[in-house]
Amino acid sequence: MEENLKEQKEALEVLAGFNSRLVGNMEIAVQELSGDRKEDTDKLVKSITDAVNWEVQVLNSTMDLLNKDKVRIEKTAFNAAITEFSNALQQGADDALAAALKTMIPQFKKLDDAVKEIGLS
């Protein structure tokens, strides 16, 4: 049990450093997908997708620690944002991707705040 808690804390510490860059990249992608598309916008979206997938794995394995004494991450709202992003990826339309990212950004900011609140970053 103690080893699992240690692993969860380590995973969240790594996530904390990673998450703020992810949010920044999401904000850049929203701009690019909203009419300021660049040559590498698709690569940016791919890197965001990979990062989101990794962070969701970490979140799933650490949710009990993040929400230990109070609900910091609403799993339903977080999952809804991820589902919207997944659907937008399948559509492939820039406006749908931008809208989905706008929905996800607050959820990932909450994740950042939650990690800070439990004292890991």
Side-chain angles (χ1 to χ4, degrees):
M1 183 74 165
E2 187 65 33
E3 184 63 29
N4 186 36
L5 180 60
K6 181 182 175 189
E7 288 175 2
Q8 286 181 338
K9 286 180 178 181
E10 287 173 359
L12 286 173
E13 286 170 357
V14 172
L15 182 138
F18 194 75
N19 191 57
S20 59
R21 289 189 304 266
L22 173 59
V23 169
N25 283 341
M26 287 179 180
E27 291 169 342
I28 291 167
V30 167
Q31 280 186 309
E32 291 183 14
L33 293 165
S34 298
D36 190 22
R37 187 174 251 287
K38 307 281 191 252
E39 189 176 302
D40 63 347
T41 298
D42 290 332
K43 286 182 183 179
L44 178 60
V45 171
K46 171 71 170 112
S47 73
I48 290 169
T49 303
D50 292 343
V52 165
N53 287 334
W54 179 80
E55 287 201 20
V56 166
Q57 288 178 336
V58 172
L59 180 61
N60 286 336
S61 67
T62 59
M63 187 69 83
D64 55 334
L65 176 59
L66 285 167
N67 289 341
K68 184 178 179 182
D69 52 352
K70 73 176 190 177
V71 176
R72 292 178 180 87
I73 301 295
E74 289 282 345
K75 191 170 185 174
T76 303
F78 203 93
N79 286 342
I82 299 299
T83 299
E84 182 180 343
F85 182 63
S86 176
N87 291 339
L89 284 170
Q90 289 177 342
Q91 285 179 2
D94 284 2
D95 59 340
L97 282 167
L101 287 168
K102 286 179 185 177
T103 301
M104 279 199 324
I105 289 169
Q107 297 302 319
F108 281 81
K109 286 183 176 180
K110 285 180 186 176
L111 177 56
D112 207 37
D113 292 342
V115 172
K116 289 176 183 170
E117 188 176 322
I118 62 172
L120 294 175
S121 73

